[in-house]
Amino acid sequence: MPEGDTIHRAAARILASFGDEPLTAFAARTSAIVPGAAPPGPGDTISSVEARGKHLLIRFGNGTTLHTHLGMLGAWRVHAGGAPSALPHARTGVAMATAHAGAVCRSAPVVELLDDASVRRHPVLRSLGPDLCMPDVDLTAVADRLASIDATTPVGVVLLDQRLAAGIGNVYRSEVLWACRVDPWTPLGTLAGGAADELYVTAARLLQANLTTFGPRRTVPEGLAVYERAGRPCRRCGTPLRVALIGDPPRSAWWCPSCQTRG
């Protein structure tokens, strides 16, 4: 599932594969395009690739920025040998290539071409909290943002709020709560002193630990602790793990009913 670590890895792969080579092809099926944001064409180059939480921004030499958000099912794929000049599949939102590398983005709900002013004014990008994948992430700023949240909000909902901190998705939500022994339905205001901050410290640690690997994510030596392991024994206490929907819109949360507690 695409989360902050996925996007940062995709950014690194695109930048390493494309470098400053000129494009030979670019095609996009956009969900939005602002006036003046011309699609890049043959001869244009990539000037920067930036991950912001779960958002990817690719800026081209012509001044246009491609913004993608992968949602639940999207993916970027980078490969050697170029790519077709047309979109090869109905789910393909972007296809681009140089003489030596190609990349396609599939099943992304957000594919936008923006100019610089639109990037600065973008309501979602402007609202993002500190990126937990960054080594110098400002966790004090996250704590300040947390102070504005209704104390009755379950922490399992709070962790997915990208306005507080960017990068946590469904996988890390469940893994972080397990690591900190917190039940997903715990009201934010009932956490013991410092426990909310510890959730984000742990999230940053786990996300950053998975930035440099291209294999399966690991939050414990065996792989994942709870995500998609309902009915299997907790790796800590052996109790069968559970899964249930939480939030609006509802999304699945996995947890241990024995060693994850409320408050």
Side-chain angles (χ1 to χ4, degrees):
M1 179 174 292
E3 303 201 22
D5 57 344
T6 309
I7 307 307
H8 278 261
R9 290 198 300 266
R13 287 198 299 272
I14 291 170
L15 192 59
S17 297
F18 280 68
D20 57 1
E21 282 198 65
L23 295 178
T24 57
F26 180 90
R29 186 178 290 110
T30 57
S31 51
I33 181 169
V34 303
D44 283 324
T45 57
I46 291 175
S47 57
S48 66
V49 184
E50 178 187 2
R52 296 188 191 176
K54 297 193 285 185
H55 299 257
L56 184 65
L57 300 170
I58 302 175
R59 193 175 190 278
F60 297 93
N62 70 343
T64 293
T65 294
L66 172 69
H67 167 221
T68 59
H69 185 276
L70 301 181
M72 298 281 287
L73 301 174
W76 272 98
R77 296 286 184 264
V78 182
H79 51 83
S85 59
L87 298 173
H89 190 281
R91 292 196 303 271
T92 303
V94 181
M96 59 184 186
T98 66
H100 301 102
V104 295
C105 178
R106 290 184 176 172
S107 302
V110 176
V111 179
E112 300 179 324
L113 290 172
L114 309 171
D115 61 12
D116 288 343
S118 298
V119 172
R120 291 192 299 270
R121 295 193 301 261
H122 197 286
V124 175
L125 295 173
R126 286 183 62 186
S127 72
L128 291 175
D131 188 340
L132 295 171
C133 288
M134 301 301 291
D136 58 350
V137 59
D138 186 352
L139 293 173
T140 301
V142 177
D144 291 343
R145 291 177 181 230
L146 270 175
S148 66
I149 301 301
D150 185 337
T152 65
T153 308
V155 291
V157 173
V158 171
L159 286 176
L160 292 188
D161 190 337
Q162 303 298 297
R163 299 169 300 176
L164 302 175
I168 300 175
N170 222 22
V171 178
Y172 284 101
R173 184 252 303 270
S174 295
E175 296 296 302
V176 166
L177 290 171
W178 182 85
C180 294
R181 296 176 178 260
V182 177
D183 182 289
W185 283 266
T186 306
L188 177 64
T190 66
L191 289 177
D197 295 341
E198 183 60 26
L199 292 174
Y200 289 96
V201 171
T202 301
R205 174 176 60 81
L206 294 179
L207 280 160
Q208 292 175 32
N210 281 282
L211 288 180
T212 57
T213 176
F214 295 103
R217 288 188 183 104
R218 290 185 178 274
T219 59
V220 293
E222 300 87 349
L224 296 177
V226 289
Y227 181 74
E228 292 192 335
R229 297 190 66 243
R232 300 176 68 183
C234 173
R235 298 194 190 279
R236 188 163 48 214
C237 72
T239 302
L241 299 173
R242 294 183 185 175
V243 61
L245 297 175
I246 184 173
D248 184 19
R251 295 178 65 183
S252 297
W254 288 262
W255 85 105
C256 175
S258 178
C259 63
Q260 288 178 249
T261 61
R262 300 193 186 189

